[in-house]
Amino acid sequence: MTEHVWSFKSTSGHLAGADLTGYKVEATDGSIGKVDKHSEEVGDAYLVVDTGVWIFGKEVLLPASTVTRVDPEDKKIFVDLTKEQIKDSPEFHREKHLGDAGYREELGTYYGFPPFGGRPL
């Protein structure tokens, strides 16, 4: 049910092998931070975004399917989420959650299909 959550959409403009580290990340209602780490592994693609002062210096993990567009010229990534949706996502701790299948399932359900686990947008 959530397997497509961890893949880039073919329409996003993401190019395999591109280094997205340092790209600014834009929600539908404004900037949320910069990419600190990313993966493009098939079925396990994601962005770790450093939110800076926006969420008190915390990082968030965004599944690749949330990316709507990659702009390599301006080094920006656009996601189809609002700041509030990102802020309300399950709390992320890199050391604890990056390899945690249970966390991935929880996050996949939150960002999954139907969109956002069936929660109203």
Side-chain angles (χ1 to χ4, degrees), residues 34-118:
K34 290 185 178 182
V35 175
D36 190 46
K37 176 179 174 53
H38 65 95
S39 167
E40 58 183 43
E41 288 184 40
V42 175
D44 190 29
Y46 60 82
L47 304 173
V48 174
V49 180
D50 181 347
T51 63
V53 297
W54 176 58
I55 311 180
F56 306 108
K58 292 188 179 181
E59 292 180 321
V60 294
L61 182 68
L62 299 179
S65 67
T66 63
V67 175
T68 57
R69 184 166 61 99
V70 177
D71 182 344
E73 190 173 308
D74 288 336
K75 295 195 173 203
K76 286 187 180 181
I77 296 173
F78 298 85
V79 296
D80 60 355
L81 304 167
T82 64
K83 287 178 160 187
E84 184 175 349
Q85 288 168 324
I86 294 166
K87 191 174 183 178
D88 290 345
S89 69
E91 192 170 340
F92 174 68
H93 298 284
R94 186 189 297 223
E95 302 79 24
K96 181 178 177 184
H97 293 131
L98 261 187
D100 182 340
Y103 177 78
R104 291 290 177 88
E105 183 65 29
E106 179 183 3
L107 199 64
T109 299
Y110 180 81
Y111 288 123
F113 300 100
F116 310 102

